[in-house]
Amino acid sequence: MPGRFEGKVAIITGSSNGIGRETALLFAKEGAQVTVTGRNLERLEKSRQALLDAGIPESNFLIVSADITTGSGQDKLIGETLEKFGKLNILVNNAGASIKDPENKTGISQGLDVYEQTMKINVESVIGLTQKTRPHLAKTKGDIVNVSSIVAVKAGWSLLAYYPMAKAALDQYTRSAAIDLISEGIRVNTVNPGIVQTGFHESEFGWSAEEAKKFYDDMGANRSSIPVGFAGRPEHIAKTIAFLADRDSSEYIIGQNIVVDGGTTLVLGIHANVLNSLSNS
Ligand code: NDP
C-alpha cells in the first residue's frame, strides 16, 4: 500500500537531530522524498545513516548542510531541494533553539545579543523560509508545519525570557501566515511540544547526556510536571507533524496549534500538590 506521503517532497529543518530527524524518518518511511538539514556534519551523517538503516534509498533523500539564519543558507536549502526533486510540497519549520547566555545570566538579565540570536533561529528563519518557499508551495497546494513550544502559552518563565517570547511570536506568525496563504491553497499549522527527550536541553543548559537523562527521568516521575508520567519522545511530535502535513487527515485545520505535552499545560500551581499526593498514594 502506498504511504500517505508518496509523491510528496518535504524539507524538514533541524533534521540533523531530535524531533526533526524522527520526522524525516517517518515521512520517508511513508513515501516522501525528504531534505534533511542542519549545520553539524557529524549529526547530519547520523541522520543519513538512520535513513539508510530504515531502508530508505539515497534517491529519496538529500542532505544539505546550511545555517538557516542566513539568507544564503536558506537559498541553498531550497535551491538544492528543487534541483534534486523538482518541486516542494511540505515545509516543516522545526529547527529551533534556546540560546545559552555566554555569561550564564538568566531571565530578563540576559543580554540583547541572546535575544537577537533567539529571534533569528526561532522566528526570522521561519519568516525567510516561508517567504522563499511560497511560490513553490503555491504550485503544489502545499503544507507548512511550524514547531513551536508550550513555553509560548500564557505563563511566566523566570529562567529564560527570550525563547518563550520567540515561540509566542512564532504562534502569532502561524495565524497571520495561515490566513494570508490559504487563498493560494497553502495551509500553515503549528505543533507545540512539551518536554521531549532530544539534544535540546543539552544545548540549552550546557548539560551532558547523563544530566539531560536525569532531568527527563525526574520530570517524568513528577506528575505535577508531566501528568502522563514520562517525558515525551521525538516520535510523539513527529506523528503530530505528519498529521498536520497530511491533507487527507487535516485538510480543514488552518492556522491552529496542537499542544503535545503529556498534560503539562493543564496543571496549575494551585493543584500541583494535590496531583502529586494522589500519584504517590
Ligand atoms: P535538538 O537540539 O535536538 O535539535 C535542534 C535542531 O535544530 C538540530 O538539528 C540543529 O541542527 C537545528 N538548528 C539549530 N540552529 C540551527 C541553525 N542556525 N541553522 C540550521 N539548523 C539549526 O532539539 P529538538 O529536536 O528538541 O528541537 C526541535 C524543535 O522543537 C525546536 O524548534 C525546539 O524549540 C522545539 N521544542 C523542543 C522541546 C524539547 O523539549 N526538546 C520542547 C518544545 C519545543 P545543527 O545542530 O546540526 O545545526
Side-chain angles (χ1 to χ4, degrees), residues 133-206:
T133 56
R134 179 179 191 164
H136 309 291
L137 291 169
K139 270 191 213 153
T140 58
K141 304 279 175 257
D143 299 281
I144 298 178
V145 181
N146 295 327
V147 179
S148 178
S149 168
I150 56 165
V151 298
V153 304
K154 193 173 172 186
W157 299 93
S158 56
L159 205 54
L160 308 158
Y162 310 135
Y163 175 66
M165 284 170 66
K167 292 300 196 184
L170 177 62
D171 282 3
Q172 186 54 30
Y173 180 74
T174 294
R175 289 184 275 272
S176 300
I179 201 71
D180 195 7
L181 295 179
I182 195 59
S183 60
E184 293 169 32
I186 304 170
R187 286 188 316 133
V188 189
N189 286 294
T190 291
V191 180
N192 296 63
I195 290 175
V196 186
Q197 306 176 47
T198 65
F200 183 86
H201 298 96
E202 289 169 44
S203 313
E204 182 178 38
F205 298 120

Side-chain angles (χ1 to χ4, degrees), residues 54-111:
I56 309 301
E58 299 249 16
S59 55
N60 277 7
F61 68 88
L62 170 70
I63 307 277
V64 179
S65 151
D67 181 345
I68 55 161
T69 61
T70 67
S72 58
Q74 296 166 6
D75 293 340
K76 181 179 178 202
L77 175 58
I78 298 166
E80 291 189 11
T81 300
L82 292 172
E83 198 182 325
K84 173 151 179 161
F85 299 125
K87 63 172 181 171
L88 181 67
N89 302 89
I90 298 166
L91 170 67
V92 180
N93 285 310
N94 163 74
S98 173
I99 305 296
K100 190 174 177 318
D101 189 284
E103 296 169 35
N104 289 325
K105 288 183 179 163
T106 58
I108 61 166
S109 302
Q110 292 187 330

Side-chain angles (χ1 to χ4, degrees), residues 34-56:
V34 293
T35 298
V36 168
T37 185
R39 297 160 302 177
N40 184 307
L41 297 180
E42 269 174 41
R43 286 173 144 190
L44 285 169
E45 177 53 27
K46 277 194 190 162
S47 294
R48 194 179 83 86
Q49 207 49 59
L51 285 157
L52 290 175
D53 290 349
I56 309 301

Side-chain angles (χ1 to χ4, degrees), residues 7 27 31 109 169 213 242 254 263 279:
F27 277 46
S109 302
K213 182 176 182 317
I254 309 292
S279 63

